[in-house]
Amino acid sequence: MKRFFALCILLPSLGSVAVHHTAAAQTMLDNSAQKASPFVKETLKSLTTRFPSAHPKFRKLSVHTNSDKKQVVCGQVSLSENKAPAEDSFLSFGASEDSEQPVVYEARPIPSTLDSREANQWINHGADLEELEELGCVPEGSYRQYGDSLNKVLQEHKINTTR
């Protein structure tokens, strides 16, 4: 009788947990996912679970194949709570069929002055942009432009500290 009572209490709670974890939905702000492949759907689902506190909104999805004949999906995601997110709230993302996680790049402007202790953080931040460029999700030369801007700020810091 005690086992039956315990099952009556546990089963409904287990069901609600399962529903909670599988109910993650994506919001498309344009019609770019009309004929999405299972790979694209899985990528969007992965991004939705990666940012569980936000309700991601996607747009500008595009799919192409890389030199290895693997599918690559590119697009933009916003983590804004607004129904109509601001243009600057969108982050570029990309994923390849042979990659584990989608790459998400937040385009943040490099500050005009930068402490040398923060340099590694900004270099690592640019690595995501480099990966998106390799995937074909951002224009070629984007990473070089980012690196040039970062080097300019670091050189300026070096000049100012040696004076």
Side-chain angles (χ1 to χ4, degrees):
M1 185 63 142
K2 289 180 185 178
R3 288 183 199 157
F4 177 77
F5 181 72
L7 281 175
C8 289
I9 292 174
L10 287 176
L11 285 177
S13 65
L14 288 175
S16 66
V17 169
V19 169
H20 176 68
H21 289 296
T22 59
Q26 300 90 28
T27 300
M28 289 302 305
L29 296 177
D30 57 12
N31 291 328
S32 59
Q34 276 182 336
K35 296 179 183 177
S37 69
F39 165 67
V40 172
K41 290 177 184 176
E42 190 60 37
T43 300
L44 297 180
K45 182 179 176 185
S46 172
L47 286 167
T48 301
T49 57
R50 183 173 171 179
F51 303 109
S53 61
H55 183 72
K57 295 161 189 71
F58 299 96
R59 71 176 188 179
K60 297 185 180 179
L61 294 183
S62 64
V63 179
H64 63 272
T65 56
N66 62 14
S67 59
D68 297 332
K69 305 291 185 222
K70 300 284 185 182
Q71 249 188 345
V72 175
V73 61
C74 302
Q76 295 179 342
V77 60
S78 175
L79 305 176
S80 171
E81 294 297 322
N82 298 331
K83 284 189 177 187
E87 191 69 29
D88 64 348
S89 72
F90 284 92
L91 314 173
S92 296
F93 75 88
S96 173
E97 278 184 298
D98 54 2
S99 64
E100 291 180 23
Q101 284 280 345
V103 177
V104 180
Y105 175 72
E106 179 184 355
R108 293 182 288 169
I110 299 170
S112 58
T113 59
L114 190 64
D115 189 347
S116 59
R117 293 174 288 191
E118 298 174 9
N120 281 342
Q121 175 187 350
W122 285 94
I123 291 168
N124 291 339
H125 180 72
D128 290 339
L129 182 61
E130 180 182 31
E131 199 166 337
L132 285 178
E133 187 176 325
E134 289 173 2
L135 288 171
C137 295
V138 295
E140 197 169 315
S142 297
Y143 176 67
R144 182 171 184 81
Q145 184 179 10
Y146 175 85
D148 290 346
S149 299
L150 183 59
N151 284 332
K152 183 178 177 184
V153 170
L154 292 173
Q155 286 295 337
E156 194 66 35
H157 176 73
K158 187 187 283 187
I159 291 169
N160 290 337
T161 56
T162 57
R163 288 184 184 177

